[in-house]
Amino acid sequence: GQRDVIYNTPFASHDIRTTRQINDHAKKTPAQPDMILFSENEPAEARSLKYIGLDAQYFNASLIPHPDAPDSLSNLRQAGASAVANVEDIVKSQAQATNVSFWIDSAESAIAAEGQISQRYQVFLGPKDTQVLADHGLDRAIEYGWFPWIAKPLSAILHFFYAIVRNYGLAIVMLTVMVRGLMFPLGRKAAMNAQRMQELQPELKRINELYKDNMEKRAKAMQELYAKHNFKPLAGCLPMFIQLPIFIGLYRCLSVDISLRQQPLIPGIEWCSNLAAPDQLLDWSSWMPAFFAERGVGWLGPYFNILPMVTVLLFIVQQKMLMPKATDDQTRMTQNMMQVMTIFMGVLFFKVPSGLCIYFITSSLWSLVERKLVKRMTPPTSPALLAAGADGKGPDGKFPSKPSGNPKGSPGSRKRRGESEAAPPSKTASKMQELAKMLEKPAVKSATQRGSRKNRKRN
């Protein structure tokens, strides 16, 4: 959410309660709207805090022990998080922007007559700069996601590039190109696998038509087809799984870095003057419906942003280039659904920081160029091999007929003219002919088939 409650105990280490969790809890249990973080029934170490505070994307406000009273947040009675609003008035689309807060109860103490008890705390209010947070024991406040061991080094490299070019927009482009360049061997392998899959689509379609009522034979024919072409369908998935943590780490690195705040893409131009916010090309709040463009509550916000549109357009182009051509209605419907989902992603991406859009645009352009390079680097598949599928049929769906006589240009006619005899057929062609003969002969002949053959003999 835009504001979450974070806390750290020796028992559970760093933990977080998101805005949406606090909001949902208050709505489900209106009699006890506060979300209890820990209670007096838990062990003492679970009730001792290193810090507790409110966490936003780029700023943090936390309560921490005072250096002169390091145990001031130890052995507390309980703590909780609450929504600072009437949650019944908050619509679902605005739940992420709910104002939240926290509270703590210290343990009960007996005070002698005319005695007193004092407790000292510190309040941290500041930016989520890695060094500043570390100096106050709040370094865990920056959420790097599932792969912090990837996101943190990428953040350091981003700042290194910025020190060279003095522009975070260019630094993001350089970082994305560096990451995609290092991953080119994996990307090339995945792209080659996708291209070979696309080349095999006509043959797979013929197998599906031939064995549409026999799943076992269909699976066996597909396995033979993959073995014949030395194609492994799952080989293209491994590079994608390896790349995924890097992409997520890079995304998190860019989405939490306060250095991008108030940094322009092009110095001196008002458009895209804050890489930590949408690019804000045009203010359309005066002529767009309120539920779309009203400030704070509109789905798309008061500004039209061009970078998310470019991002989605490149995603669609990338889909058309990378996805194999649809060979049946089910595949076609799946691809249409994916295109609809991509357009829907454009709505979700509409208000993301422009720095992230630059990353997505650079990554998509790299993928398109990589695809073109892979096509040039991949050796072409034999046309004859593609023309005759795994079922031995030609492009017209029929088995090739044997030539009659010795037509001009055949091996027999050349032999009569004293020319050398043609080379014997390859092993692959021989295997395909054997497979074609095997498939041409049905395993079990029905009565209709036997009757039709008898009729042909009489005729």
Side-chain angles (χ1 to χ4, degrees):
Q2 294 184 16
R3 302 165 191 86
D4 302 319
V5 172
I6 60 171
Y7 63 101
N8 191 319
T9 66
F11 182 79
S13 189
H14 177 82
D15 207 346
I16 184 171
R17 293 294 181 267
T18 66
T19 306
R20 188 173 291 278
Q21 288 175 333
I22 297 170
N23 187 291
D24 290 346
H25 177 83
K27 284 189 174 182
K28 289 178 182 177
T29 57
Q32 295 179 339
D34 292 358
M35 177 177 279
I36 303 300
L37 304 179
F38 55 78
S39 63
E40 57 187 339
N41 299 323
E42 299 181 47
E45 60 178 2
R47 294 182 282 110
S48 299
L49 290 168
K50 294 181 180 179
Y51 56 79
I52 183 170
L54 299 179
D55 188 67
Q57 184 176 10
Y58 297 119
F59 295 93
N60 181 276
S62 290
L63 187 69
I64 56 180
H66 194 278
D68 297 336
D71 296 329
S72 57
L73 288 176
S74 298
N75 198 24
L76 298 171
R77 182 168 171 266
Q78 61 179 351
S82 58
V84 188
N86 184 359
V87 293
E88 298 300 329
D89 296 336
I90 299 174
V91 297
K92 190 175 182 180
S93 61
Q94 301 174 25
Q96 291 289 82
T98 305
N99 279 323
V100 297
S101 185
F102 67 88
W103 50 264
I104 58 172
D105 279 350
S106 58
E108 292 183 359
S109 300
I111 304 176
E114 299 183 359
Q116 63 179 17
I117 289 180
S118 64
Q119 294 172 319
R120 300 186 69 184
Y121 309 99
Q122 275 190 342
V123 176
F124 172 86
L125 298 167
K128 290 171 67 173
D129 178 87
T130 52
Q131 189 58 51
V132 174
L133 291 176
D135 291 342
H136 294 83
L138 292 165
D139 48 304
R140 294 289 302 276
I142 300 180
E143 295 284 345
Y144 285 105
W146 296 337
F147 308 103
W149 47 277
I150 293 177
K152 289 181 180 180
L154 290 177
S155 180
I157 296 172
L158 175 67
H159 290 284
F160 171 75
F161 284 142
Y162 173 75
I164 297 174
V165 297
R166 309 306 299 177
N167 182 286
Y168 272 107
L170 289 176
I172 292 171
V173 173
M174 293 170 67
L175 178 63
T176 309
V177 169
M178 185 203 75
V179 171
R180 295 304 304 267
L182 291 175
M183 293 166 56
F184 177 73
L186 294 174
R188 176 177 176 270
K189 190 172 182 180
M192 287 178 65
N193 200 74
Q195 182 174 329
R196 295 195 67 187
M197 186 68 178
Q198 191 169 358
E199 291 172 347
L200 293 176
Q201 282 302 308
E203 301 183 36
L204 291 172
K205 182 182 179 182
R206 285 195 286 272
I207 290 175
N208 286 328
E209 291 176 352
L210 187 65
Y211 300 114
K212 59 184 177 181
D213 297 326
N214 193 324
M215 187 179 295
E216 186 178 346
K217 286 188 176 181
R218 183 167 70 240
K220 187 177 179 181
M222 285 182 176
Q223 290 176 358
E224 291 175 354
L225 172 68
Y226 294 151
K228 180 181 70 176
H229 289 278
N230 194 24
F231 175 74
K232 298 177 181 178
L234 298 179
C237 299
L238 181 61
M240 293 178 64
F241 281 118
I242 296 175
Q243 294 177 59
L244 190 61
I246 299 175
F247 289 153
I248 294 176
L250 183 57
Y251 174 88
R252 291 299 302 172
C253 151
L254 297 176
S255 61
V256 300
D257 198 327
I258 193 174
S259 300
L260 301 180
R261 188 172 180 270
Q262 305 298 338
Q263 290 292 327
L265 176 62
I266 304 173
I269 297 181
E270 187 177 354
W271 170 74
C272 200
S273 58
N274 182 5
L275 291 174
D279 60 271
Q280 301 181 1
L281 176 67
L282 175 69
D283 186 347
W284 62 359
S285 57
S286 60
W287 48 274
M288 282 289 286
F291 68 90
F292 267 118
E294 188 175 349
R295 187 177 296 276
V297 297
W299 284 8
L300 303 180
Y303 294 96
F304 172 73
N305 307 310
I306 189 64
L307 290 180
M309 300 295 99
V310 176
T311 302
V312 172
L313 179 63
L314 287 173
F315 280 169
I316 294 173
V317 173
Q318 191 175 345
Q319 271 187 352
K320 292 216 174 262
M321 284 190 65
L322 299 182
M323 282 195 307
K325 200 170 183 179
T327 56
D328 51 50
D329 292 338
Q330 185 177 359
T331 307
R332 194 174 295 107
M333 185 174 66
T334 303
Q335 293 183 359
N336 290 337
M337 284 295 297
M338 288 182 67
Q339 290 180 357
V340 172
M341 288 300 295
T342 303
I343 295 172
F344 178 69
M345 280 176 59
V347 178
L348 300 180
F349 275 38
F350 198 77
K351 292 193 286 187
V352 301
S354 51
L356 290 175
C357 286
I358 293 171
Y359 153 65
F360 285 120
I361 290 170
T362 307
S363 185
S364 297
L365 289 174
W366 178 277
S367 296
L368 297 176
V369 173
E370 186 179 77
R371 180 71 172 181
K372 291 290 185 183
L373 287 174
V374 168
K375 277 190 174 181
R376 292 189 176 186
M377 295 166 64
T378 306
T381 309
S382 169
L385 198 61
L386 288 177
D391 53 0
K393 295 181 181 181
D396 56 354
K398 297 180 180 179
F399 292 108
S401 57
K402 297 179 180 180
S404 58
N406 291 321
K408 188 176 179 181
S410 66
S413 63
R414 287 197 299 269
K415 191 174 179 181
R416 285 197 302 270
R417 292 195 298 268
E419 296 178 9
S420 61
E421 193 167 352
S426 64
K427 291 183 179 180
T428 307
S430 301
K431 287 183 180 178
M432 287 171 54
Q433 288 175 2
E434 290 175 9
L435 184 60
K437 289 178 182 178
M438 203 169 70
L439 294 174
E440 194 173 14
K441 184 178 179 181
V444 179
K445 295 177 183 176
S446 64
T448 306
Q449 289 174 323
R450 290 195 293 269
S452 62
R453 289 193 172 224
K454 288 178 182 178
N455 292 335
R456 283 201 298 270
K457 285 181 180 178
R458 292 196 195 101
N459 294 335

